[in-house]
């Protein structure tokens, strides 16, 4: 049975890394002593080890050990044998490139579908969708494919932002960008605001946190979904 | 001799499409009766013809005709024979995909290098750089390559935005994203604010408009460059 936390962001403004999620994670990873961390997204270009050290500090607060995927000779086996997995945020193009290059996309999807508890934040959440095509990140490397894990049946936009009606900036709003996605693609897109997360247990996908989420479907008016809603109808 | 206008945006807040640039464009395209428009970037998924009609309305104010590249059977010949070319903004992934798919990237670069007056706005400007890897757009389609025209020796970030120090949003700032680009790539990146443009005449690249531009070089502190500066030193 799938057991996944898909969070819009790792960190809330004025808080420490993962702090707002720790009570949820304590329960989510209750049967894991050690969590396998996938550091590939490298925010601000931090090293794999530097990123893993940062995550270790946060998880120490709930008495969990963290080991980085880069420390294993056989990454496929490391994923298969993990008792819990966390993929952190950073650049989605870098993350997806590395997962494809190391032939890990399918084994990670299978492992999650088989029930290994998984946590994603930001880019680590975006990869839970069908493709990475609704990321906000810059294409700083060229991935061999945009296909991602597909452990949920729609795409995600993390750090979802409402249009700023007072802004004089003429760059596209997030909503306009997602509308452009739907000129070429039919997958629904869920805009997940910072502080929201999805709690996936088997076939149920419950929206958590205090905010609504914004659902974009091709050729339809976007709609706001209340926290607590089961989103498993989105396909 | 290269003769290029590379503008951060087509439109300023509260103004009509291209209005702020029209005096510049009247001079830039003084010897062109008809401008060839490349509508591939399709902002908000608008049709090629709908986009071309919109551009025609703006250029009618300076008595220029506009014809869309999609109207020609032989796009390569259309580019070679054009007396002036404009590539409009929209989605950079869509624009670059179409240019590569139709084998037009090289012929467009050659034509511009040979002196045909060119105007780019937003995505149409980003493609003047070495690669499209510093675009702000969503990867809504998968291009066969990120390589672009390379008619200037650096990359561009259009619609450049300074960090909003009052914001509680935790998504990466533009500066952070460009720093991540430089973890993997050495090309300099110029952040061009809305209302700024580059006036390229042969080997000279003059920054125009009222704002400074922000130059990011790998492993160096970013610097602000004054309007009027010749940027041909950036390589």
């Amino acid at each position: 049975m799938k057991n996944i936390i898909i969070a819009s962001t790792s960190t809330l403004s004025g808080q420490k890394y993962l702090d707002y999620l720790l009570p949820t994670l304590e329960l989510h990873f209750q049967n894991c002593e050690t969590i396998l961390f996938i550091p590939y997204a490298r925010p601000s270009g931090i090293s794999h080890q530097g990123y893993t050290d940062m995550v270790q500090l946060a998880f120490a607060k709930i008495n969990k050990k963290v080991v980085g995927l880069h420390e294993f000779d056989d990454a496929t086996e490391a994923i298969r044998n993990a008792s819990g997995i966390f993929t952190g945020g950073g650049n989605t193009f870098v993350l997806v490139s590395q997962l494809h290059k190391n032939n890990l996309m399918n084994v990670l999807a299978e492992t999650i579908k088989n029930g290994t508890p998984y946590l994603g934040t930001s880019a680590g959440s975006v990869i839970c969708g069908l493709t990475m095509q609704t990321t906000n990140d810059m294409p700083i490397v060229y991935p061999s494919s945009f296909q991602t894990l597909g452990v949920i049946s729609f795409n995600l936009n993390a750090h979802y932002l409402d249009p700023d009606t007072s802004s004089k900036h003429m760059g596209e709003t997030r909503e306009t960008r997602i509308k452009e996605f739907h000129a070429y693609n039919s997958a629904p897109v869920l805009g997940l605001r910072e502080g929201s997360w999805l709690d996936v247990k088997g076939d149920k996908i419950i929206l958590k946190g205090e905010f609504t989420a914004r659902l974009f479907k091709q050729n339809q008016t976007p709609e706001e979904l209340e926290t607590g809603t089961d989103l498993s109808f989105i396909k």
Side-chain angles (χ1 to χ4, degrees), chain A:
Chain A
M1 189 179 94
K2 284 188 282 194
N3 187 13
I4 318 174
I5 302 282
I6 299 173
S8 175
T9 185
S10 61
T11 315
L12 292 182
S13 180
Q15 294 191 16
K16 290 202 171 158
Y17 186 69
L18 289 179
D19 261 8
Y20 81 103
L21 275 175
L22 286 179
T24 303
L25 299 182
E26 197 159 15
L27 197 64
H28 185 64
F29 289 122
Q30 62 184 323
N31 297 322
C32 316
E33 198 178 312
T34 301
I35 292 156
L36 178 67
F37 177 59
I38 303 181
Y40 290 165
R42 301 184 58 202
S44 299
I46 192 175
S47 71
H48 289 156
Q49 190 55 50
Y51 198 9
T52 304
D53 291 346
M54 190 180 123
V55 171
Q56 170 64 70
L57 272 177
F59 274 98
K61 296 177 187 171
I62 54 169
N63 300 309
K64 304 290 175 191
K65 288 182 196 154
V66 171
V67 59
L69 184 57
H70 63 290
E71 297 175 50
F72 291 85
D73 289 332
D74 187 335
T76 300
E77 280 305 297
I79 287 172
R80 283 207 180 110
N81 296 333
S83 61
I85 300 173
F86 169 35
T87 304
N91 185 287
T92 313
F93 289 86
V94 175
L95 171 60
V96 169
S97 291
Q98 283 295 303
L99 288 173
H100 281 305
K101 190 174 165 191
N102 298 331
N103 285 315
L104 296 175
M105 197 64 86
N106 290 340
V107 65
L108 182 55
E110 275 166 31
T111 303
I112 295 170
K113 285 174 185 167
N114 287 338
T116 302
Y118 177 88
L119 166 67
T121 60
S122 195
S125 290
V126 170
I127 61 169
C128 291
L130 301 169
T131 73
M132 58 162 287
Q133 291 177 272
T134 47
T135 178
N136 309 310
D137 295 337
M138 267 188 187
I140 63 176
V141 299
Y142 184 74
S144 61
S145 161
F146 285 162
Q147 177 249 322
T148 49
L149 297 169
V151 295
I152 53 174
S153 307
F154 49 90
N155 269 12
L156 288 167
N157 182 253
H159 304 279
Y160 182 76
L161 263 185
D162 293 291
D164 176 356
T165 50
S166 70
S167 172
K168 294 190 171 178
H169 187 69
M170 300 299 286
E172 290 88 347
T173 65
R174 200 64 64 78
E175 182 155 332
T176 300
R177 294 177 192 283
I178 295 169
K179 187 178 168 193
E180 290 182 353
F181 170 79
H182 278 144
Y184 292 89
N185 305 277
S186 60
V189 180
L190 188 72
L192 205 55
R193 294 182 175 86
E194 294 181 348
S196 292
W197 68 93
L198 303 180
D199 184 0
V200 184
K201 293 272 185 305
D203 292 333
K204 278 205 185 315
I205 306 175
I206 309 295
L207 176 62
K208 300 274 191 172
E210 60 180 299
F211 304 107
T212 57
R214 194 160 179 85
L215 176 61
F216 300 87
K217 296 182 93 167
Q218 197 179 32
N219 303 324
Q220 292 184 31
T221 307
E223 60 180 312
E224 290 291 326
L225 302 171
E226 296 298 321
T227 185
T229 306
D230 182 352
L231 306 179
S232 56
F233 70 92
I234 308 174
K235 280 176 212 300

